[in-house]
Amino acid sequence: MTPMFLLILVVFQNSIIITIATSKFTIPDATILQIQSAFTHNHLTSKQLVQFYLTQIQKLNPIYKAVIEINPDALVQAKTADQQRYNKTPISNSPLHGIPVLVKDNIATKDKLNTTAGSYALLGSVVARDAGVVKKLREAGAIILGKASLSEWAHFRSSDAPSGWNARAKQAVNPYVASVDPCGSSTGSAISVATNMVTVSLGTETDGSILCPSSNNSVVGIKPTVGLTSRSGVVPISPRQDTVGPMCRTVSDAVYVLDAIVGFDKYDASATQKASKYIPKDGYLKHLNSSGLKGKRLGVVRDYYYFGFGNDTETLNKFEKHFKILRRNGAILVENLKMIDFERILSMASDEDIALTAEFKSALNAYLKKLVASPVRSLADVIAFNKKHAHLEKIKEYPQDLFLAAEKMNGTSKLEKEALINLKKASKLGFEKLMNDNNLDALVTPKSSGSSALAIGGYPGIIVPAGYDKSGAPYGICFGGLKGSEPTLIEIAYGFEQATKFRKPPPIKI
Ligand SMILES: *[C@@H]1O[C@H](CO)[C@@H](O)[C@H](O)[C@H]1NC(C)=O
Ligand SMILES: *[C@@H]1O[C@H](CO)[C@@H](O)[C@H](O)[C@H]1NC(C)=O
Ligand SMILES: *[C@@H]1O[C@H](CO)[C@@H](O)[C@H](O)[C@H]1NC(C)=O
Ligand SMILES: *[C@@H]1O[C@H](CO)[C@@H](O)[C@H](O)[C@H]1NC(C)=O
Ligand SMILES: *[C@@H]1O[C@H](CO)[C@@H](O)[C@H](O)[C@H]1NC(C)=O
């Protein structure tokens, strides 16, 4: 801390306000850019920032259960970051330098933190190295504050378990309306940024796991094209659909994180190599353009709105208002579109289930085998563990039906092969054809209702807060595009966010 400025720390309505001369900076809801500016002007240190979040976690996490573990070295890492900034070490120019990040508990960190996907079966397992995305975060100077809670095994153990529940952290709670499903599986990643327990977080998605909790907790989520971000060191469901992405309070924060985590990783070589052609040479930041909606062709498939909300005219009317906003800001709405065989594509859900169930077994077994040490080495071991520790893992309440179904799969059945062919066909004739035939930049869907169309083909999507219903429950608007369309989606999402600024912090009363 430089003695040049008079620093006054005031605790005001539970938020630390740091006042220096004429400038005012408050940590809650501060963006990466605002935090970096406060660092530069010696209004804030990383240590103060980490301390604020640790206090916030201590206060709020007993209620919201968004954080599963805190990194005992976070404060030390913050002090190092402050020293680097003071010494003008090159890394301190990185936008993420000294910024605390929570990563979902299915993302490996080679430190004192456990990586368990919320399950006691993985407690005590030792990972070989940081996940590819964590390595990139550390290279960008970020501080790993801890692990965010999740639906256990990314919701691939039990179809009866509620979203946001895992045996270790218990049930996460929606900070806007406690009775509303917080959605999953990246539940803690969403809630922790919504409630200012951290600056930014990472989630993972196989189908809806970033988009849905972002929608229900009023944060921005980016579900990148599969392979754009490495999945190495991530407890898998399906390498065909799994992706890692940022969950943040603003589009700008999410894009700063995305910019840091994309790219080649030799431990997920094939997919990250293939997707590396989509990464703009000069990165994603310049696509944060508030005129980004200008001239963008946005497709509206009404079936999604009726599928999502039935005849809930209130919600439908809200989206009509959003369409007006999009038009007013220069977007061209292409209406009355039909996804070819919309119903058939919806029924692809069963093909998706078959494919994921088959892929899960071999992907999980491969993950478990690569661990340096682990109480479990195969899906069969995990099933046996859960039987043995039925009470701890609440097996009676939330049976491991998805595990049992996956264990029966052998990757060679006709059913599995057919499912994969059907999924490919559905993507080509459904989403891709719709986008290409109508020359669309993005498909606009309410909440996360379009997640399966994006999931089965590995397409990207960005969800942005879009309002609150009568009860105060949040919902988002999602922009999905063809593979590698992140730059365009960022322009659209940022344009919408800047024109609306719908997000408001949750009504926390403590
Ligand atoms: C990791 O789990 C072990 C129990 O196996 C526990 O003692 C330790 O505190 C955990 N680490 C953190 C950072 O919470
Ligand atoms: C998300 O929030 C809505 C309310 O906006 C709620 O109806 C729904 O059950 C929640 N969960 C999911 C999975 O959509
Ligand atoms: C922002 O978008 C507008 C409209 O498409 C464009 O004219 C302008 O050049 C863009 N700005 C930058 C910095 O790319
Ligand atoms: C919506 O209402 C119309 C007319 O009342 C009805 O024909 C239609 O089936 C309803 N759709 C849904 C999805 O409920
Ligand atoms: C795989 O499963 C199918 C049916 O589920 C069965 O017909 C086949 O024999 C099994 N193959 C192996 C190698 O176990």
Side-chain angles (χ1 to χ4, degrees):
M1 180 61 49
T2 159
M4 242 159 54
F5 295 88
L6 172 65
L7 185 98
I8 311 164
L9 272 174
V10 198
V11 177
F12 176 70
Q13 287 186 347
N14 297 314
S15 45
I16 296 178
I17 299 179
I18 298 170
T19 311
I20 296 107
T22 54
S23 72
K24 196 165 82 180
F25 170 79
T26 67
I27 295 175
D29 292 346
T31 63
I32 289 175
L33 277 178
Q34 288 164 343
I35 290 170
Q36 286 301 349
S37 164
F39 284 159
T40 306
H41 294 98
N42 297 313
H43 296 177
L44 176 73
T45 63
S46 291
K47 191 177 154 216
Q48 287 172 327
L49 189 59
V50 166
Q51 254 159 354
F52 172 83
Y53 291 136
L54 293 178
T55 306
Q56 191 80 348
I57 290 169
Q58 199 175 30
K59 208 164 60 178
L60 299 182
N61 204 50
I63 306 166
Y64 298 111
K65 310 273 201 299
V67 180
I68 189 162
E69 277 187 12
I70 291 166
N71 184 356
D73 294 330
L75 274 174
V76 174
Q77 288 172 13
K79 276 186 226 165
T80 305
D82 290 334
Q83 199 60 48
Q84 287 167 335
R85 194 176 309 113
Y86 183 80
N87 293 338
K88 296 189 165 44
T89 314
I91 193 174
S92 60
N93 293 323
S94 159
L96 290 193
H97 180 256
I99 300 286
V101 183
L102 279 169
V103 303
K104 189 176 176 181
D105 187 43
N106 60 351
I107 301 175
T109 54
K110 185 76 180 161
D111 51 18
K112 290 178 186 152
L113 292 160
N114 297 290
T115 304
T116 69
S119 167
Y120 283 105
L122 280 179
L123 193 56
S125 70
V126 179
V127 300
R129 61 187 73 83
D130 278 337
V133 288
V134 170
K135 178 168 180 273
K136 288 197 195 293
L137 282 177
R138 291 200 210 272
E139 285 165 358
I143 296 165
I144 306 298
L145 185 66
K147 294 281 170 78
S149 70
L150 71 171
S151 312
E152 198 182 274
W153 295 103
H155 225 160
F156 216 77
R157 178 191 111 184
S158 173
S159 24
D160 294 327
S163 285
W165 176 85
N166 68 76
R168 292 190 61 218
K170 315 300 178 209
Q171 180 63 53
V173 173
N174 189 314
Y176 285 88
V177 182
S179 60
V180 165
D181 177 352
C183 205
S185 64
S186 306
T187 319
S189 309
I191 295 172
S192 61
V193 294
T195 56
N196 278 287
M197 295 189 203
V198 72
T199 312
V200 292
S201 73
L202 289 189
T204 69
E205 169 146 345
T206 306
D207 186 343
S209 281
I210 288 175
L211 298 177
C212 187
S214 295
S215 180
N216 274 24
N217 297 285
S218 209
V219 301
V220 173
I222 301 184
K223 172 216 183 278
T225 303
V226 168
L228 196 69
T229 51
S230 167
R231 290 84 46 83
S232 82
V234 177
V235 182
I237 293 177
S238 154
R240 189 177 45 78
Q241 290 188 199
D242 291 350
T243 185
V244 183
M247 296 170 75
C248 305
R249 290 181 293 267
T250 63
V251 175
S252 152
D253 280 357
V255 171
Y256 274 98
V257 175
L258 183 75
D259 210 47
I261 61 172
V262 295
F264 179 72
D265 173 18
K266 67 176 172 186
Y267 297 108
D268 187 11
S270 156
T272 54
Q273 175 68 55
K274 216 167 137 197
S276 63
K277 64 172 180 281
Y278 298 131
I279 303 170
K281 279 197 181 59
D282 42 3
Y284 292 98
L285 299 177
K286 70 164 210 212
H287 298 282
L288 292 166
N289 181 339
S290 49
S291 313
L293 283 168
K294 225 175 193 167
K296 296 295 194 305
R297 291 175 60 83
L298 307 179
V300 178
V301 174
R302 290 282 162 186
D303 286 330
Y304 275 111
Y305 297 80
Y306 294 115
F307 168 64
F309 313 113
N311 281 340
D312 170 3
T313 45
E314 202 202 333
T315 306
L316 294 171
N317 287 341
K318 278 182 175 159
F319 278 93
E320 294 301 337
K321 279 192 195 144
H322 293 345
F323 296 159
K324 278 199 191 120
I325 294 169
L326 293 167
R327 278 194 209 97
R328 216 185 307 129
N329 286 277
I332 300 144
L333 266 76
V334 185
E335 290 260 22
N336 301 316
L337 295 181
K338 283 267 172 210
M339 190 95 95
I340 291 175
D341 288 343
F342 181 79
E343 281 78 17
R344 216 195 69 207
I345 289 161
L346 282 184
S347 79
M348 286 299 144
S350 63
D351 283 314
E352 189 186 358
D353 285 347
I354 292 166
L356 294 182
T357 306
E359 290 160 337
F360 176 67
K361 182 182 174 182
S362 56
L364 182 70
N365 285 345
Y367 174 89
L368 295 174
K369 287 211 172 71
K370 275 186 243 147
L371 291 169
V372 173
S374 177
V376 288
R377 286 295 186 178
S378 65
L379 176 58
D381 286 353
V382 182
I383 291 170
F385 178 96
N386 286 342
K387 277 190 189 142
K388 194 165 160 203
H389 304 276
H391 181 67
L392 201 57
E393 282 289 340
K394 279 201 165 202
I395 290 299
K396 227 192 206 149
E397 295 89 333
Y398 312 137
Q400 47 182 337
D401 57 310
L402 299 176
F403 276 2
L404 296 174
E407 184 55 24
K408 282 197 202 118
M409 295 284 197
N410 58 26
T412 60
S413 79
K414 201 169 148 226
L415 209 59
E416 292 165 40
K417 282 182 187 150
E418 269 173 16
L420 287 174
I421 291 168
N422 288 343
L423 289 177
K424 219 171 214 164
K425 216 155 65 183
S427 287
K428 287 268 174 272
L429 299 179
F431 186 67
E432 271 190 27
K433 186 164 161 46
L434 181 86
M435 294 292 293
N436 290 329
D437 284 0
N438 297 285
N439 194 21
L440 299 179
D441 291 297
L443 188 67
V444 195
T445 48
K447 307 186 182 179
S448 57
S449 62
S451 75
S452 291
L454 302 178
I456 60 173
Y459 309 114
I462 304 185
I463 196 155
V464 181
Y468 304 85
D469 70 14
K470 260 188 273 177
S471 75
Y475 58 86
I477 186 167
C478 182
F479 305 100
L482 294 172
K483 283 184 188 171
S485 64
E486 280 83 355
T488 305
L489 298 181
I490 289 166
E491 288 171 9
I492 296 166
Y494 189 66
F496 178 82
E497 181 200 47
Q498 294 305 301
T500 57
K501 302 238 168 111
F502 273 120
R503 181 187 177 266
K504 54 184 186 199
I508 292 172
K509 293 179 214 81
I510 281 194

